[in-house]
Amino acid sequence: MRLSPRSRAALAGAALTVTTLVGPAPAATADTTPPPPAGRYLNLHQCVYSAFWSAGFDLMTTLVPSQDGRFSAGTNVSDTPVPAAVCGAGDGNYERNVYTAAEGYDLTAGRYLNLHQCVFWSDYDQDHLTTTVGTTDYKFFASTNVSDSRDTAPSCGDGGGVDHSVPLLSSATPLDLTAGRYLNLHQCMYYFDRFHDHFTTFTASGDGRFKAGTNISDTPDTKPSCGAGDGNYQLIPLLSGVKALPLH
């Protein structure tokens, strides 16, 4: 079986109330200071799994635990930046791939978490790859960051010629870190049987059929919100999921 370059690469009180006042109570002054984060770093664990089939090659990406614990990902909020990705072991067919990576984003560095979703397609392998962090291969990096500026266009690797980005599915989503107590990170996994191809979305993109409902809210989400797919690519609930990450 002839393998493409990408195939060969495979693989975070009590208040004292004074009840006796002399004279009228002073006017309340609104406190506009944002509360401190629950942990300084958002650690995104990008767990990429791959499998070879007689019909081709398949990659799939998880950021949060799915219902199938074999493909879990250790994304969390912590006072410590992550040293390496924590991922499930796979299922025997799918094993961790070299595009697995982790990055810690300093939540005190700005108002917005700019979540970049970079989706690539290989004509040779007939396979998608989704990344959200800088990876071990610069061709597939994604530019997720924390900043006081809102990113509105995704910044992604070029795929190296063999693969190319898919603008309709790629996106940059600015999430206002002051908007609520939780980052609800949604993971939506889709599969097309004819190509033996999984691909994942984490945010809304230009194609609403594959949207994911990642948001910041005062309410923790407990079920993933996903698009229905396009008829060929079907939603896989077992591999989809959501994780409510405390921000404050």
Side-chain angles (χ1 to χ4, degrees), residues 72-105:
S72 64
T75 293
N76 67 350
V77 173
S78 170
D79 286 326
T80 306
V82 66
V86 176
C87 305
D91 65 354
N93 293 314
Y94 284 84
E95 299 177 345
R96 279 174 285 183
N97 176 273
V98 295
Y99 304 130
T100 293
E103 288 184 359
Y105 302 97

Short mmCIF file of all heavy atoms in Angstrom, two decimals, residues 72-105:
data_model
loop_
_atom_site.label_atom_id
_atom_site.label_comp_id
_atom_site.label_asym_id
_atom_site.label_seq_id
_atom_site.Cartn_x
_atom_site.Cartn_y
_atom_site.Cartn_z
N SER A 72 -10.48 9.52 25.47
CA SER A 72 -10.60 10.69 26.35
C SER A 72 -9.50 11.70 26.06
O SER A 72 -8.50 11.40 25.39
CB SER A 72 -10.55 10.27 27.81
OG SER A 72 -9.29 9.70 28.11
N ALA A 73 -9.70 12.92 26.54
CA ALA A 73 -8.69 13.99 26.46
C ALA A 73 -8.74 14.76 27.77
O ALA A 73 -9.80 14.98 28.34
CB ALA A 73 -8.97 14.91 25.28
N GLY A 74 -7.55 15.19 28.24
CA GLY A 74 -7.44 15.74 29.59
C GLY A 74 -7.59 17.24 29.71
O GLY A 74 -7.07 17.82 30.67
N THR A 75 -8.26 17.89 28.78
CA THR A 75 -8.43 19.35 28.82
C THR A 75 -8.94 19.79 30.19
O THR A 75 -9.90 19.23 30.72
CB THR A 75 -9.40 19.80 27.72
OG1 THR A 75 -8.77 19.55 26.44
CG2 THR A 75 -9.73 21.27 27.83
N ASN A 76 -8.29 20.83 30.77
CA ASN A 76 -8.66 21.29 32.10
C ASN A 76 -8.25 22.74 32.30
O ASN A 76 -7.62 23.36 31.44
CB ASN A 76 -8.03 20.40 33.18
CG ASN A 76 -6.51 20.52 33.23
OD1 ASN A 76 -5.89 21.12 32.37
ND2 ASN A 76 -5.91 19.94 34.24
N VAL A 77 -8.63 23.29 33.46
CA VAL A 77 -8.16 24.61 33.91
C VAL A 77 -7.31 24.37 35.15
O VAL A 77 -7.72 23.65 36.07
CB VAL A 77 -9.34 25.54 34.23
CG1 VAL A 77 -8.85 26.84 34.86
CG2 VAL A 77 -10.13 25.85 32.96
N SER A 78 -6.13 24.97 35.19
CA SER A 78 -5.17 24.67 36.25
C SER A 78 -4.27 25.88 36.49
O SER A 78 -4.17 26.76 35.64
CB SER A 78 -4.33 23.45 35.86
OG SER A 78 -3.25 23.25 36.74
N ASP A 79 -3.62 25.90 37.64
CA ASP A 79 -2.61 26.92 37.91
C ASP A 79 -1.28 26.62 37.23
O ASP A 79 -0.35 27.43 37.28
CB ASP A 79 -2.39 27.07 39.42
CG ASP A 79 -3.53 27.79 40.10
OD1 ASP A 79 -4.12 28.70 39.47
OD2 ASP A 79 -3.85 27.45 41.25
N THR A 80 -1.21 25.47 36.59
CA THR A 80 0.04 25.04 35.96
C THR A 80 -0.19 24.77 34.48
O THR A 80 -1.14 24.07 34.13
CB THR A 80 0.55 23.75 36.63
OG1 THR A 80 0.66 23.96 38.04
CG2 THR A 80 1.90 23.34 36.07
N PRO A 81 0.69 25.29 33.60
CA PRO A 81 0.55 24.96 32.18
C PRO A 81 0.90 23.50 31.95
O PRO A 81 1.78 22.93 32.59
CB PRO A 81 1.55 25.89 31.49
CG PRO A 81 2.56 26.22 32.54
CD PRO A 81 1.82 26.21 33.85
N VAL A 82 0.20 22.89 31.03
CA VAL A 82 0.34 21.45 30.80
C VAL A 82 1.71 21.13 30.18
O VAL A 82 2.17 21.83 29.29
CB VAL A 82 -0.80 20.96 29.89
CG1 VAL A 82 -0.69 21.55 28.49
CG2 VAL A 82 -0.84 19.46 29.82
N PRO A 83 2.38 20.06 30.63
CA PRO A 83 3.65 19.68 30.02
C PRO A 83 3.48 18.77 28.80
O PRO A 83 4.34 18.72 27.93
CB PRO A 83 4.38 18.95 31.14
CG PRO A 83 3.29 18.37 31.97
CD PRO A 83 2.12 19.32 31.88
N ALA A 84 2.39 18.00 28.76
CA ALA A 84 2.17 17.05 27.66
C ALA A 84 0.70 16.66 27.65
O ALA A 84 -0.01 16.77 28.65
CB ALA A 84 3.05 15.82 27.83
N ALA A 85 0.24 16.20 26.49
CA ALA A 85 -1.16 15.81 26.35
C ALA A 85 -1.45 14.54 27.13
O ALA A 85 -0.65 13.61 27.16
CB ALA A 85 -1.50 15.61 24.88
N VAL A 86 -2.62 14.52 27.78
CA VAL A 86 -3.12 13.33 28.46
C VAL A 86 -4.30 12.81 27.64
O VAL A 86 -5.31 13.51 27.47
CB VAL A 86 -3.56 13.65 29.90
CG1 VAL A 86 -4.18 12.42 30.56
CG2 VAL A 86 -2.38 14.16 30.72
N CYS A 87 -4.17 11.59 27.13
CA CYS A 87 -5.15 11.05 26.19
C CYS A 87 -5.49 9.61 26.55
O CYS A 87 -4.71 8.92 27.23
CB CYS A 87 -4.59 11.07 24.76
SG CYS A 87 -4.02 12.70 24.20
N GLY A 88 -6.62 9.14 26.06
CA GLY A 88 -6.96 7.74 26.20
C GLY A 88 -6.04 6.87 25.36
O GLY A 88 -5.30 7.35 24.49
N ALA A 89 -6.13 5.57 25.58
CA ALA A 89 -5.22 4.63 24.91
C ALA A 89 -5.69 4.23 23.53
O ALA A 89 -4.95 3.56 22.79
CB ALA A 89 -5.06 3.38 25.78
N GLY A 90 -6.90 4.64 23.13
CA GLY A 90 -7.45 4.15 21.88
C GLY A 90 -8.14 2.81 22.07
O GLY A 90 -8.27 2.32 23.20
N ASP A 91 -8.56 2.20 20.97
CA ASP A 91 -9.36 0.97 21.07
C ASP A 91 -8.69 -0.23 20.42
O ASP A 91 -9.33 -1.26 20.19
CB ASP A 91 -10.74 1.18 20.45
CG ASP A 91 -10.69 1.43 18.95
OD1 ASP A 91 -9.56 1.56 18.40
OD2 ASP A 91 -11.76 1.50 18.32
N GLY A 92 -7.40 -0.12 20.12
CA GLY A 92 -6.72 -1.22 19.45
C GLY A 92 -6.60 -0.99 17.96
O GLY A 92 -5.57 -1.31 17.36
N ASN A 93 -7.65 -0.45 17.35
CA ASN A 93 -7.59 -0.06 15.94
C ASN A 93 -7.07 1.37 15.80
O ASN A 93 -6.19 1.65 15.00
CB ASN A 93 -8.96 -0.19 15.27
CG ASN A 93 -9.43 -1.61 15.16
OD1 ASN A 93 -8.66 -2.50 14.75
ND2 ASN A 93 -10.67 -1.87 15.54
N TYR A 94 -7.64 2.26 16.62
CA TYR A 94 -7.21 3.66 16.63
C TYR A 94 -6.22 3.88 17.76
O TYR A 94 -6.49 3.54 18.91
CB TYR A 94 -8.42 4.58 16.82
CG TYR A 94 -9.26 4.73 15.57
CD1 TYR A 94 -10.24 3.79 15.26
CD2 TYR A 94 -9.07 5.80 14.70
CE1 TYR A 94 -11.00 3.90 14.11
CE2 TYR A 94 -9.83 5.93 13.56
CZ TYR A 94 -10.79 4.98 13.26
OH TYR A 94 -11.54 5.10 12.11
N GLU A 95 -5.06 4.43 17.42
CA GLU A 95 -4.01 4.70 18.39
C GLU A 95 -3.59 6.15 18.29
O GLU A 95 -3.81 6.82 17.28
CB GLU A 95 -2.81 3.79 18.13
CG GLU A 95 -3.14 2.31 18.24
CD GLU A 95 -1.95 1.42 17.90
OE1 GLU A 95 -0.98 1.95 17.31
OE2 GLU A 95 -2.00 0.22 18.23
N ARG A 96 -2.95 6.66 19.37
CA ARG A 96 -2.53 8.05 19.36
C ARG A 96 -1.54 8.33 18.24
O ARG A 96 -0.66 7.53 17.95
CB ARG A 96 -1.91 8.42 20.71
CG ARG A 96 -2.95 8.74 21.77
CD ARG A 96 -2.33 8.97 23.12
NE ARG A 96 -1.92 7.69 23.72
CZ ARG A 96 -1.41 7.59 24.93
NH1 ARG A 96 -1.19 8.66 25.65
NH2 ARG A 96 -1.08 6.41 25.40
N ASN A 97 -1.71 9.51 17.65
CA ASN A 97 -0.97 9.91 16.46
C ASN A 97 -0.01 11.04 16.78
O ASN A 97 -0.16 11.73 17.79
CB ASN A 97 -2.02 10.34 15.41
CG ASN A 97 -1.42 10.88 14.15
OD1 ASN A 97 -1.14 12.06 14.06
ND2 ASN A 97 -1.24 10.02 13.17
N VAL A 98 0.97 11.28 15.92
CA VAL A 98 1.98 12.31 16.18
C VAL A 98 1.41 13.72 16.19
O VAL A 98 2.08 14.65 16.65
CB VAL A 98 3.12 12.25 15.14
CG1 VAL A 98 3.87 10.95 15.26
CG2 VAL A 98 2.58 12.43 13.72
N TYR A 99 0.20 13.92 15.70
CA TYR A 99 -0.40 15.25 15.74
C TYR A 99 -1.02 15.57 17.11
O TYR A 99 -1.56 16.65 17.32
CB TYR A 99 -1.45 15.41 14.64
CG TYR A 99 -0.89 15.12 13.27
CD1 TYR A 99 -1.55 14.25 12.40
CD2 TYR A 99 0.30 15.70 12.84
CE1 TYR A 99 -1.04 13.97 11.15
CE2 TYR A 99 0.82 15.43 11.59
CZ TYR A 99 0.15 14.56 10.75
OH TYR A 99 0.66 14.28 9.50
N THR A 100 -0.97 14.62 18.02
CA THR A 100 -1.38 14.86 19.41
C THR A 100 -0.49 15.93 20.02
O THR A 100 0.73 15.90 19.85
CB THR A 100 -1.30 13.55 20.22
OG1 THR A 100 -2.29 12.64 19.73
CG2 THR A 100 -1.51 13.80 21.70
N ALA A 101 -1.10 16.89 20.74
CA ALA A 101 -0.33 17.98 21.34
C ALA A 101 -1.16 18.62 22.44
O ALA A 101 -2.36 18.37 22.57
CB ALA A 101 0.04 19.03 20.29
N ALA A 102 -0.51 19.45 23.26
CA ALA A 102 -1.21 20.19 24.31
C ALA A 102 -0.58 21.55 24.46
O ALA A 102 0.63 21.71 24.29
CB ALA A 102 -1.16 19.43 25.64
N GLU A 103 -1.41 22.56 24.80
CA GLU A 103 -0.91 23.91 25.06
C GLU A 103 -1.68 24.52 26.21
O GLU A 103 -2.89 24.30 26.35
CB GLU A 103 -1.04 24.80 23.82
CG GLU A 103 -0.05 24.44 22.72
CD GLU A 103 -0.12 25.39 21.54
OE1 GLU A 103 -0.96 26.31 21.56
OE2 GLU A 103 0.65 25.19 20.59
N GLY A 104 -0.97 25.30 27.04
CA GLY A 104 -1.59 26.02 28.15
C GLY A 104 -1.74 27.48 27.79
O GLY A 104 -0.76 28.14 27.44
N TYR A 105 -2.96 28.01 27.87
CA TYR A 105 -3.25 29.40 27.52
C TYR A 105 -3.51 30.19 28.79
O TYR A 105 -4.36 29.82 29.60
CB TYR A 105 -4.47 29.47 26.58
CG TYR A 105 -4.25 28.68 25.31
CD1 TYR A 105 -4.74 27.39 25.19
CD2 TYR A 105 -3.50 29.22 24.26
CE1 TYR A 105 -4.51 26.65 24.05
CE2 TYR A 105 -3.26 28.48 23.11
CZ TYR A 105 -3.77 27.19 23.01
OH TYR A 105 -3.52 26.46 21.87
#
